[in-house]
Amino acid sequence: MKRLLYWLCAPWLGSLLDGCTRIGRAWAWLCLACRVPLPTNNIILGRVELHGTREIHFGQDAYIYPDLYLETQKTGSITLGDRVVLSRGVHLVSHCRIQIGAGSMLGEYSSVRDANHQRQPHLALRDAGFTSAPIVIGKEVWIGRGAIILPGVHIGDGATIAANAVVNRDVAAGTIVGGIPAKTLKISERADHVTI
């Protein structure tokens, strides 16, 4: 029944309510909650685009900006810890597993994808399949605007990823990395306290 209500009303009611913040947030929450389990204390500021199996688990007190893209395929899953912040335009795509720890923040248009296309002789690229490896992002991790996290990466608690960095290897707790590919810029004296 919830899904039917969503599909019937979403096209016209969503745009009507965008101008009214409180009602607009309630509508955005309802639209997402009709499609995946969602704790009532999550704040959803706008449209969330879902694709695939919808194997997505939200923690408590998430703060979700508009234009979030979430996709799970095959056995993939996305798990968000408590108090996670996902900024505008973040892309999370999982064919295996993406786990984001409590209190972590992902900046605008950052991308976390645990799979890559593969090439096989005599097959078109779109038919050649994927390789995947889990991505684990620790607690209180700050990922800057436009950063890209690649398959198999583990990021330790309290790490900071600079804007537009491409992270293709593990990042130790409390470390600040940046660049393409990302390299260590600074190591905090305490893993739970990162300064720039």
Side-chain angles (χ1 to χ4, degrees):
M1 182 64 182
K2 285 193 248 179
R3 287 186 182 170
L4 178 61
L5 177 65
Y6 170 78
W7 290 115
L8 290 175
C9 299
W12 60 272
L13 191 55
S15 60
L16 177 68
L17 298 176
D18 276 347
C20 182
T21 305
R22 184 175 280 165
I23 296 172
R25 286 182 184 179
W27 177 251
W29 184 91
L30 179 63
C31 288
L32 184 57
C34 285
R35 298 177 286 160
V36 295
L38 187 65
T40 57
N41 61 0
N42 282 290
I43 296 174
I44 312 299
L45 298 178
R47 179 177 170 266
V48 175
E49 189 174 339
L50 295 177
H51 293 276
T53 62
R54 299 180 182 171
E55 189 64 36
I56 302 163
H57 310 280
F58 285 84
Q60 301 291 322
D61 295 315
Y63 201 87
I64 308 297
Y65 284 85
D67 303 323
L68 176 65
Y69 180 96
L70 300 173
E71 179 181 342
T72 55
Q73 298 292 340
K74 302 189 183 210
T75 60
S77 66
I78 297 171
T79 303
L80 306 176
D82 296 341
R83 301 177 325 279
V84 166
V85 176
L86 301 177
S87 297
R88 179 180 293 275
V90 168
H91 279 215
L92 302 177
V93 179
S94 176
H95 286 242
C96 185
R97 177 172 55 99
I98 294 174
Q99 181 178 324
I100 300 175
S104 291
M105 296 174 53
L106 279 71
E108 297 90 347
Y109 308 103
S110 55
S111 174
V112 180
R113 295 171 181 262
D114 70 8
N116 278 323
H117 290 278
Q118 60 185 3
R119 291 190 181 271
Q120 292 187 24
H122 312 295
L123 280 178
L125 181 58
R126 67 182 286 175
D127 299 327
F130 296 88
T131 58
S132 62
I135 295 173
V136 177
I137 297 171
K139 297 176 184 175
E140 297 291 326
V141 172
W142 179 15
I143 297 178
R145 186 182 208 276
I148 299 170
I149 313 301
L150 296 176
V153 168
H154 291 221
I155 300 175
D157 295 348
T160 300
I161 311 301
N164 297 314
V166 176
V167 182
N168 62 356
R169 63 178 70 108
D170 291 354
V171 176
T175 303
I176 299 171
V177 300
I180 302 173
K183 294 183 176 147
T184 300
L185 302 176
K186 183 175 180 182
I187 300 173
S188 175
E189 293 175 16
R190 290 178 43 205
D192 63 341
H193 178 72
V194 176
T195 57
I196 296 178

